[in-house]
């Protein structure tokens, strides 16, 4: 077992019809003028319907609306309210949390659990719309007073097993586990960030993209961001002694060094730039292409940036290698054959 941790054409038509009627029969002009001046019930209804539709579309794209929309998920809670389950989550209280004054009574735990599962399901629905996929496994959340001796770190793990299937190395997801100190869970931004990881970790993404997209959802959809965008991808670039973008060597949010805050901000700025440049459905296209090929399941370890840029380019309809090289990523242009050959080489080594 290995562990992986880590948002009026109608008026034009009416005018044309009106002037056509003028040319055909002059006696209809007074009637037409009265019709327009007094208002047409059918036209008004069409306009109102169009306005309602536009409002609905805007609401569906609105971050706050998405996050606050009640979920239709079924929620079940045990009689002692120590465990709850919804369509896509389970939630339980660790021993050290249930003895605290805030959670030592059944009613208190039940109210909290129902609210927490309802919120997480609403967020799940929103991310499903944003990414175009959803994990096949339930996400298991455990709340603690302290986790691994601290109340300052939330952890998301994607547990998987690896083996050989039909002569090929393959990884299978066993489950998704999240451990939150209650202090971290109650921080809106942290909660959304980690729930995004639980959603996307099944693709074994490069750290910079995994973290960048988590900050994107945290900031632009859940309004809980702590990392503002940088002014310029080129102007705010930082490279190592080999001239490589410092995102490439990121170990994830468990690291703590002077570059950490910059890495979060740069990764978010880069992910947001691609989103704005290629459309709000860009990442839906990326993940659909990945899922269709299933190559991420055959990788040894996490995918390299060159692998990811291959799918970015496919989704964008243009070669994005020059863009990433300009930002000093160590990438090369790959074909699917290149990827398959590398996977095959690694599979042989794993046997």
């Amino acid at each position: 077992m290995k562990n992986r941790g880590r948002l009026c054409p109608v008026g034009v038509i009416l005018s044309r019809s009106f002037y056509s009627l003028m040319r055909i029969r002059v006696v209809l002009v007074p009637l037409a003028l009265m019709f327009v001046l007094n208002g047409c019930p059918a036209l008004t209804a069409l306009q109102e319907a169009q306005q309602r539709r536009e409002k609905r579309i805007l609401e569906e794209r609105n971050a706050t609306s998405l996050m606050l929309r009640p979920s239709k998920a079924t929620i079940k809670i045990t009689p002692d309210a120590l465990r709850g389950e919804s369509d896509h989550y389970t939630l339980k209280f660790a021993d050290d949390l249930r003895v605290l004054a805030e959670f030592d009574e059944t009613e208190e735990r039940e109210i909290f659990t129902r609210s927490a599962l309802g919120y997480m399901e609403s967020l799940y629905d929103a991310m499903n719309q944003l990414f175009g996929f959803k994990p096949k496994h339930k996400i298991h959340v455990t709340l603690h007073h302290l986790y691994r001796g601290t109340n300052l770190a939330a952890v998301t793990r994607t547990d998987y097993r690896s083996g050989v299937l039909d002569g090929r190395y393959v990884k299978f997801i066993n489950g998704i586990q999240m451990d939150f100190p209650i202090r971290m869970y109650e921080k809106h931004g942290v909660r959304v960030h980690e729930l995004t990881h639980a959603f996307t970790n099944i693709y074994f993404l490069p750290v910079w993209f995994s973290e960048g997209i988590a900050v994107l959802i945290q900031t632009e959809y859940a309004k809980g961001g702590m990392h503002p965008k940088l002014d310029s991808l080129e102007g705010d670039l930082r490279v190592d002694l080999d001239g490589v973008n410092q995102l490439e060597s990121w170990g994830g949010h468990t690291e703590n060094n002077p570059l950490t805050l910059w890495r979060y901000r740069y990764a978010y700025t880069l992910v947001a730039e691609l989103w704005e440049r290629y459309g709000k459905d860009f990442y839906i296209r990326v993940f659909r292409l990945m899922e269709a090929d299933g190559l991420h399941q055959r990788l040894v370890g996490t995918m390299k940036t060159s692998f990811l840029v291959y799918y970015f380019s496919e989704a964008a309809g243009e070669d994005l290698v020059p863009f990433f090289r300009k930002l000093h990523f160590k990438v090369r242009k790959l074909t699917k054959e290149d990827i398959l050959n590398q996977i095959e080489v690694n599979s042989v080594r794993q046997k």
Side-chain angles (χ1 to χ4, degrees):
M1 179 77 67
K2 297 180 181 179
N3 290 331
R4 184 167 145 58
R6 298 274 174 234
L7 116 176
C8 172
V10 173
V12 175
I13 293 171
L14 178 63
S15 298
R16 290 173 179 168
S17 299
F18 174 68
Y19 286 116
S20 297
L21 286 171
M22 281 183 66
R23 290 197 296 270
I24 295 171
R25 193 168 292 182
V26 177
V27 2
L28 293 180
V29 171
L31 177 61
L33 282 172
M34 182 175 66
F35 186 74
V36 172
L37 292 173
N38 291 339
C40 168
L43 175 61
T44 301
L46 283 171
Q47 289 174 329
E48 290 178 349
Q50 176 69 12
Q51 290 170 354
R52 287 195 298 270
R53 178 177 178 275
E54 290 176 354
K55 180 181 179 181
R56 185 175 68 252
I57 291 173
L58 287 172
E59 287 177 345
E60 288 176 351
R61 294 174 181 173
N62 182 272
T64 303
S65 176
L66 278 173
M67 294 303 104
L68 298 179
R69 181 182 300 155
S71 172
K72 297 179 181 178
T74 300
I75 296 176
K76 299 178 182 179
I77 301 175
T78 58
D80 58 10
L82 291 174
R83 186 181 186 278
E85 184 171 0
S86 58
D87 295 351
H88 304 104
Y89 295 90
T90 66
L91 184 146
K92 66 179 182 179
F93 294 83
D95 292 340
D96 70 338
L97 183 62
R98 65 182 71 169
V99 299
L100 298 185
E102 299 92 328
F103 301 103
D104 62 352
E105 294 184 8
T106 301
E107 183 179 4
E108 292 171 328
R109 293 193 298 269
E110 181 177 354
I111 291 172
F112 182 93
T113 300
R114 195 170 298 280
S115 174
L117 287 172
Y119 175 85
M120 290 192 294
E121 286 289 349
S122 293
L123 182 62
Y124 190 101
D125 294 340
M127 288 194 291
N128 188 15
Q129 291 183 37
L130 292 169
F131 299 144
F133 73 92
K134 53 188 176 183
K136 296 178 182 178
H137 296 78
K138 282 196 174 185
I139 299 172
H140 303 289
V141 179
T142 301
L143 300 178
H144 308 257
H145 172 46
L146 298 177
Y147 181 64
R148 295 179 178 175
T150 180
N151 62 2
L152 299 176
V155 177
T156 300
R157 303 191 310 275
T158 302
D159 298 326
Y160 67 92
R161 69 187 190 278
S162 59
V164 178
L165 179 65
D166 296 330
R168 294 176 174 175
Y169 172 81
V170 183
K171 292 181 287 195
F172 303 93
I173 302 295
N174 288 327
I176 304 167
Q177 174 67 41
M178 305 179 71
D179 290 279
F180 279 101
I182 191 64
R183 177 179 176 183
M184 289 292 100
Y185 186 85
E186 290 176 342
K187 290 180 181 293
H188 178 61
V190 174
R191 180 166 70 244
V192 174
H193 187 105
E194 291 303 318
L195 287 168
T196 306
H197 281 320
F199 222 78
T200 61
N201 275 5
I202 60 175
Y203 286 96
F204 306 102
L205 304 170
V207 168
W208 71 263
F209 182 55
S210 178
E211 295 294 346
I213 207 165
V215 177
L216 178 77
I217 302 304
Q218 174 185 356
T219 303
E220 303 198 16
Y221 275 80
K223 306 302 182 186
M226 299 177 290
H227 305 290
K229 288 180 185 176
L230 295 168
D231 294 331
S232 167
L233 287 171
E234 294 184 51
D236 292 300
L237 177 66
R238 297 188 185 184
V239 298
D240 61 19
L241 291 175
D242 291 324
V244 179
N245 193 306
Q246 289 278 13
L247 284 189
E248 292 268 41
S249 57
W250 194 2
H253 63 264
T254 56
E255 75 167 21
N256 184 20
N257 67 49
L259 285 172
T260 300
L261 292 179
W262 171 85
R263 280 172 166 153
Y264 275 112
R265 294 182 65 185
Y266 197 92
Y268 165 40
T269 306
L270 176 53
V271 168
E273 169 66 24
L274 292 171
W275 204 37
E276 292 166 6
R277 183 181 295 195
Y278 297 107
K280 299 302 183 183
D281 62 343
F282 176 66
Y283 293 119
I284 291 178
R285 299 196 299 272
V286 169
F287 286 115
R288 282 179 178 170
L289 288 166
M290 286 185 186
E291 186 63 31
D293 289 345
L295 300 180
H296 58 282
Q297 295 174 294
R298 297 162 58 187
L299 292 173
V300 176
T302 59
M303 67 175 67
K304 300 297 184 182
T305 298
S306 293
F307 182 106
L308 181 63
V309 171
Y310 164 78
Y311 282 104
F312 280 173
S313 299
E314 291 292 301
E318 64 175 296
D319 182 13
L320 291 181
V321 170
F323 171 77
F324 277 87
R325 284 180 176 169
K326 192 174 182 180
L327 298 178
H328 290 257
F329 280 87
K330 192 175 180 179
V331 295
R332 67 187 184 95
K333 186 173 182 178
L334 295 177
T335 64
K336 184 170 291 186
E337 184 179 4
D338 293 328
I339 296 172
L340 290 171
N341 286 340
Q342 184 62 46
I343 287 174
E344 190 63 30
V345 170
N346 290 335
S347 295
V348 171
R349 292 173 180 170
Q350 291 292 315
K351 293 178 184 179

